[in-house]
Structures are given as C-alpha cells and as structure tokens.
Amino acid sequence: MRLILCSNSMADEVEQQPSTNTVEEPLDLIRLSLDERIYVKMRNDRELRGRLHAYDQHLNMILGDVEETVTTVEIDDETYEELYKSTKRNIPMLFVRGDGVVLVAPPLRVG
Amino acid sequence: MDPVDVQGQSQGEVCSSLRERSISENSLVALLQGMQGHVTTVELRDEGWAQGRLQNVDAFMNLRMRDVLYRGHNMGHTSKLQDLFITGRNIRFVHIPDHMDVLQTIQTQLQRIHRVRTFNREGGGGGRREYCPKKK
C-alpha cells in the first residue's frame, strides 16, 4: 500500500494510490478523514484528538494540534468509589506508532 | 577506545538492505528516517521518554539516539546518556519539531531511496536490478 499524504500547503500527494474515490477497504475510511480533525482511541486508556496529516497501513499516523487525554481510575479505599481522573496535554505535531491505535473516528460531538 | 559505529550512517544515508528500503518507502517510517540528525522527544510504551538527537532510524523504527535525556517509567529522575538504543516496538509517540516540514522531509527521504535504486541500475546493467521489467 502506498503512502498517503495530505498537506495543507501543497495540493499534490507524494505517492498516489491507484486513484479511486470509492471506499473499498476499511483503511479507505481513514483516507476520507485526511486533513480533518479525528478522534483516536489508543491502548492504555489514552485518547488523541487532532488533525490527521498522514497515515499508513500500520496506522502509524501524523497528527497536528493534538490533545492527548490520559484517563486513570482511582479507587477510594473506604468507599470503593471509582474516581475517574483525566490528564490532558497538547502537542503541536506528533507521530503515532500504529500498534498503539485501537480505533479512529470523527471527533465525538458532546450532547 | 571509542566504539566504532558499525552502521555509521550520517543524516539521510539510506540503509543498504533492499528489504528495509522497501519497508521504509511504503510506510511513515520514512518520515522518521528523514528526521535523522534532529533533536526530538520519543515517548515510550512504558511511559518513559527520551529526548535527544536521532542518530539512526531503521525500517522497523528501531532508533539510535545520541546525547539523550532519558527518564524510565519508574524513575523519578532523568539520566544523561551518550548513546541510547530504543526498539521500535517500545515507541508510543515521536514528537516532531515545529520547524520541520513533514511533506518535504518524506519526499526527500523517498528521493534518497530512489536514488540508491537508480544508482545500482546505472551500472550498465551490471548492478542488481531491483525492479524486474514486466514479463510477458
């Protein structure tokens, strides 16, 4: 599978896929989200929200303007209540290794 | 005695293995290879991180870094290391420096790979052919 790139500044792609606009395989669905903001669920209770600049067949991705959310659960010793805490972090440009990715979706709309 | 770099690849030098070249040119590892020589932060799967100069990246995303500030997952402090090797599997994120043009870096790296291929070809047919012409 060829590398798919989308750039804000340049109209051309580095390598062209056999040009097809139809969605044939699941990875084509990700192609539809190129240069859009996406939501990525990762392993170890992490989530990313950012703009998808590039991806490949392993789901290695390059995301811009990323917000990473790490969610932890603390259990109160006495009441055994589950306390969900999340830590957020912003990174301007990030390369994500594909084996950590669980799912890719459009950004979740609240409400 | 200083250990001699077996690979000793300077920035942008392409791996001589055909297999690794093919893997690199078909995945985003090419971007990381183009970043060789730059200072970046690599976040690890086990919650540690390493900040230093990317010396070499192979097709499997194994990294070598120099002059690294490294914090392991269970360490409260950072260590300064002259040389660090990170297995590709252990990488979670790589921070891309702000000044870097992603598209240009990838294109440059792909050109370097293609140049190696055509260099072999130009040896008057004496070089090993990497692309066989389509057989009838």
Side-chain angles (χ1 to χ4, degrees), chain A residues 3 5 10 13 18 30 36 42 48 53 57 64 67 80 83 89 98 101-102 104 107-108:
Chain A
L3 189 55
L5 286 184
M10 289 161 66
E13 296 183 358
I30 302 188
E36 305 281 343
M42 292 186 66
L48 299 175
H53 288 287
Q57 68 275 32
E67 182 196 68
Y80 296 102
L83 191 68
R89 185 161 70 120
V101 174
V102 169
V104 177
L108 302 174

Side-chain angles (χ1 to χ4, degrees), chain A residues 2 46 56 89 93 95, chain B residues 26 28 43 47 92 94:
Chain A
R2 290 321 231 169
R46 279 158 200 265
D56 67 7
R89 185 161 70 120
M93 188 71 79
F95 176 98
Chain B
N26 283 312
L28 279 179
E43 289 191 34
E47 320 271 333
R92 182 182 279 145
V94 178

Side-chain angles (χ1 to χ4, degrees), chain B residues 60-91:
Chain B
F60 311 105
M61 224 183 281
N62 298 326
L63 309 177
R64 272 193 307 141
M65 298 174 81
R66 288 187 75 73
D67 304 321
V68 184
L69 208 63
Y70 169 73
R71 186 207 291 268
H73 65 290
N74 51 7
M75 289 156 57
H77 59 282
T78 50
S79 333
K80 279 202 165 179
L81 306 169
Q82 199 180 34
D83 249 290
L84 180 64
F85 179 88
I86 302 175
T87 318
R89 283 275 291 149
N90 286 308
I91 295 170

Side-chain angles (χ1 to χ4, degrees), chain B residues 69-120:
Chain B
L69 208 63
Y70 169 73
R71 186 207 291 268
H73 65 290
N74 51 7
M75 289 156 57
H77 59 282
T78 50
S79 333
K80 279 202 165 179
L81 306 169
Q82 199 180 34
D83 249 290
L84 180 64
F85 179 88
I86 302 175
T87 318
R89 283 275 291 149
N90 286 308
I91 295 170
R92 182 182 279 145
F93 300 132
V94 178
H95 292 235
I96 300 178
D98 294 330
H99 58 76
M100 180 154 285
D101 182 346
V102 168
L103 197 59
Q104 190 55 52
T105 308
I106 299 181
Q107 280 177 323
T108 312
Q109 186 62 22
L110 290 178
Q111 276 166 19
R112 287 187 190 122
I113 295 176
H114 291 164
R115 210 177 300 143
V116 171
R117 178 173 301 129
T118 25
F119 177 80
N120 288 341

